[in-house]
């Protein structure tokens, strides 16, 4: 059955103009099902999960204090999409712990960059290595993501930015550094699922740190992508999304009332030159749900 299902899902993705790396794992049994789970993608805002874990680890070790107030310069971004401080026009004074919430649960890029200033990418990579979590490349801060064609065109020309992103791929990478897996923050679905498993099951990550990241992901306010297929009165969905040009991602864990728990990672890129693609959101969610349902037994 799984072979036929995977064939049908690949066909559906191709017909919908999507290519992706999907992986779903039963966190109790270890059984998993995926589509190209080892293909690397630029991960956009998904990098805020390892950022949160590293920051909380430093708080846990006493290297940082969550109550420390920090001066934050406004992001001043006016293009559609960014949230929180990234759109602020005036300076703000915010506690470190609250910046963690803004960065992870609201996907605030400016808040994330303040955290990166305290714990830079090489330090996050080092901690991932200590936790036995290879394959997640953390190379740059979030403000590097806003220097793309999307910020150079008017809103009415968003399709041009998408077309450039689609057409600029090369055999060895991508002409846009934000979409080049050798230069951008990048990972595969398998590597990101390893991080989810380490956060939801006993691992080298300290329990209070893992619990803190789980809480931040449970409070995720961006709920339009995979949430409709995974959240219910009998299921808790904790996740983080990532979006950049033609890339749409989400990683999360669904915990069922019967005790079952499934980690889900969906990384996708679209070949359709449109900034707003609700059909793509629905399709990637349907594929992830179908993989989970197959593992769960229907």
């Amino acid at each position: 059955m799984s072979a036929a299902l995977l064939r049908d899902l690949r066909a559906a993705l191709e017909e919908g103009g999507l290519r992706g790396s999907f992986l779903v794992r039963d966190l109790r049994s270890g059984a998993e099902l995926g589509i190209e789970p080892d293909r690397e993608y630029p991960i956009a805002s998904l990098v805020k999960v390892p950022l949160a874990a590293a920051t909380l680890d430093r708080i846990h070790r006493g290297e940082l204090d969550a109550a420390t107030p920090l001066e934050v310069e406004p992001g001043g971004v006016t293009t559609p999409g960014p949230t929180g401080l990234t759109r602020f026009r005036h300076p703000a004074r915010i506690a470190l712990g609250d910046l963690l919430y803004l960065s992870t649960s609201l996907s605030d890029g400016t808040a994330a960059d303040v955290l990166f200033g305290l714990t830079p990418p090489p330090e996050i990579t080092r901690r991932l290595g200590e936790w036995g979590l290879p394959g997640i490349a953390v190379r740059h801060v979030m403000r590097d993501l806003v220097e793309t064609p999307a910020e150079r065109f008017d809103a009415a020309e968003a399709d041009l930015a998408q077309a450039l992103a689609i057409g600029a791929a090369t055999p060895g990478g991508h002409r846009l550094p934000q979409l080049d897996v050798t230069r951008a923050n990048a990972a595969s679905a398998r590597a990101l699922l390893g991080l989810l498993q380490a956060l939801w099951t006993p691992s080298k990550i300290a329990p209070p740190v893992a619990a803190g990241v789980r809480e931040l992901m449970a409070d995720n306010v961006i709920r339009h992508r995979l949430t409709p297929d995974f959240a219910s009165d009998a299921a808790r969905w904790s996740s983080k999304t990532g979006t950049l040009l033609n890339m749409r991602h989400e990683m999360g864990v669904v915990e069922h009332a019967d005790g079952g728990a499934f980690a889900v990672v969906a990384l996708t890129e679209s070949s359709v030159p449109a900034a707003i693609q609700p059909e793509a959101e629905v399709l990637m969610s349907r594929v992830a749900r179908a993989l989970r349902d197959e593992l769960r037994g229907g």
Side-chain angles (χ1 to χ4, degrees), residues 4 6 9 58 63 85 112 122 124 127 164 166 175 181 200-201 204 207 209 220 228 235 238 249:
L6 292 176
L9 294 178
R58 295 192 65 198
E63 299 172 11
L85 296 167
I124 296 171
R127 287 176 190 260
L164 282 173
I166 295 165
R175 291 175 61 191
V181 295
W200 259 264
T201 63
K204 292 181 180 179
V209 174
N220 180 22
S238 306
H249 309 324

Side-chain angles (χ1 to χ4, degrees), residues 233-236 255-260 296:
D233 288 346
R236 173 185 170 100
E255 299 169 273
H256 297 281
D258 65 4
R296 198 181 184 206

Side-chain angles (χ1 to χ4, degrees), residues 216-268:
L216 290 168
M217 293 177 69
D219 289 339
N220 180 22
V221 302
I222 302 175
R223 313 286 286 177
H224 68 282
R225 191 160 287 165
L226 300 191
T227 302
D229 273 297
F230 286 100
S232 72
D233 288 346
R236 173 185 170 100
W237 172 243
S238 306
S239 71
K240 180 73 193 75
T241 59
T243 308
L244 178 64
L245 293 171
N246 64 325
M247 304 281 174
R248 291 169 177 81
H249 309 324
E250 188 157 355
M251 59 186 287
V253 171
V254 56
E255 299 169 273
H256 297 281
D258 65 4
F262 296 81
V264 180
V265 181
L267 311 177
T268 72

Side-chain angles (χ1 to χ4, degrees), residues 125-292:
T125 299
R126 186 186 69 79
R127 287 176 190 260
L128 289 170
E130 288 182 348
W131 293 331
L133 298 170
I136 302 174
V138 183
R139 299 186 174 105
H140 61 79
V141 299
M142 300 309 299
R143 63 178 166 268
D144 295 335
L145 296 180
V146 303
E147 299 171 358
T148 73
E151 285 67 46
R152 300 171 191 171
F153 292 104
D154 293 335
E157 300 175 312
D159 60 314
L160 296 179
Q162 297 290 322
L164 282 173
I166 295 165
T170 68
H174 204 286
R175 291 175 61 191
L176 297 178
Q178 299 91 342
L179 299 182
D180 187 334
V181 295
T182 68
R183 292 181 285 174
N185 298 325
S188 66
R190 187 177 301 282
L192 292 169
L193 197 143
L195 174 57
L196 290 175
Q197 178 153 352
L199 292 169
W200 259 264
T201 63
S203 71
K204 292 181 180 179
I205 300 177
V209 174
V213 179
R214 293 197 302 269
E215 181 179 355
L216 290 168
M217 293 177 69
D219 289 339
N220 180 22
V221 302
I222 302 175
R223 313 286 286 177
H224 68 282
R225 191 160 287 165
L226 300 191
T227 302
D229 273 297
F230 286 100
S232 72
D233 288 346
R236 173 185 170 100
W237 172 243
S238 306
S239 71
K240 180 73 193 75
T241 59
T243 308
L244 178 64
L245 293 171
N246 64 325
M247 304 281 174
R248 291 169 177 81
H249 309 324
E250 188 157 355
M251 59 186 287
V253 171
V254 56
E255 299 169 273
H256 297 281
D258 65 4
F262 296 81
V264 180
V265 181
L267 311 177
T268 72
E269 60 179 317
S270 174
S271 60
V272 178
I276 299 174
Q277 295 185 48
E279 297 88 353
E281 313 276 1
V282 171
L283 177 56
M284 66 182 290
S285 184
R286 180 165 63 86
V287 169
R289 170 67 181 266
L291 293 172
R292 194 290 309 269

